[in-house]
Amino acid sequence: MPGLVGIIRSKTLPVLTPDVKNNPYAIAMKFPDESARLFDGELKLLLMDGAWHPRRLAYSNDVIAFALPGSLKIVDAIPLFELVEVVNMSDTDVVHTSPSIDEEESDSKSVKVNRTQKKSGDSNKVKFRHAVQLCTKTEGDGYNSGRQYIIQARNEQEHKKIIKDLTRLSKLATDKFLAKSQFEKAQEITRHYYKSTSFQIFVAVLIVANFAATATDAQLGPAGLDNSDGSKNGVGLFLQDLDSAFTAIFTVELLINMFAHWFMPFFSDMWCMFDLFIVSMSLISLGPVDLPASILRCLRAFRVLRLFARIKAVRQVFSVLSIPHSP
């Protein structure tokens, strides 16, 4: 294809949901701030219906954003670190399989692309009559799943600026993304799976099971758990081992949470600090420090409060109540 410019990158990216905190795709959820925009104008975007549709296009150092004309509500976006190729499509044809339309049609919403048929039996082609075309493409396993975008600039000067800017910016954004440490990339993946619904439900079930074991322990009391010589009977040993197993599991869960949200996101969260306190005291009770049975039961009972951290509505209420109010 004539006029090929740009860069090609090959990489494997973690598939993350846009609402994950600090994930690299969060930039694709918000229209760039005015101070960050390097370009902002109304261009045309070729959609699947074979028509040019007006779109507001803006790009910053991190993202290409599309919105409806006059709007800041983002309708599509391309993270620049996923931009793998920028192509000058001036005076080129693109194969089109729909029936040919000889005349250009227009209305208030879109402009039909002129299509010409070369010879009988040949594929119909979309003919770009204006020498101001740009094609972008994203990674097949990334945010846009390999979708190709074809946009039309308003003039030759704007066309050249977009090609030059996006070629340069995509290289810088890709280099920046690939320069991330292995620690940060591992954090992103761990955070994604830790915040997944299935993992949170699994932890919630464990918390409920631990509370049931604690309630059983309290209900039976020393009379039902100890032998006459003061040693634990079979039921007492089972509940003791079960408590140790829960403590070990919750310790691993806490370490995963700490790794995924290290440093400030973890230590600035009230629920994370509560988890840290409960798990720490539970570990101390397993060590050389002999805590009274009443304190141990209290700590085990407090574990069920960790369930609230996994219920969004309850968590929001507790967060509001924790804010100091003036009299």
Side-chain angles (χ1 to χ4, degrees), residues 17 20 190-202:
T17 55
V20 177
T190 304
R191 189 160 49 240
H192 168 61
Y193 287 108
Y194 179 81
K195 285 182 172 288
S196 66
T197 302
S198 57
F199 186 86
Q200 292 301 312
I201 290 177
F202 172 72

Side-chain angles (χ1 to χ4, degrees), residues 67-131:
L68 295 177
S71 173
L72 290 176
K73 184 178 180 180
I74 198 165
V75 296
D76 205 349
I78 308 171
L80 274 170
F81 66 84
E82 284 195 351
L83 185 62
V84 295
E85 192 176 15
V86 180
V87 181
N88 181 356
M89 297 188 68
S90 296
D91 300 324
T92 61
D93 294 334
V94 173
V95 174
H96 200 281
T97 56
S98 62
S100 62
I101 299 178
D102 295 327
E103 297 183 358
E104 190 177 86
E105 302 175 2
S106 63
D107 57 31
S108 59
K109 293 184 178 179
S110 63
V111 179
K112 287 290 183 181
V113 178
N114 181 58
R115 301 166 186 157
T116 59
Q117 190 166 1
K118 294 175 60 180
K119 295 179 182 179
S120 177
D122 286 351
S123 296
N124 295 325
K125 294 189 175 183
V126 175
K127 176 68 177 179
F128 295 116
R129 301 176 62 187
H130 306 290

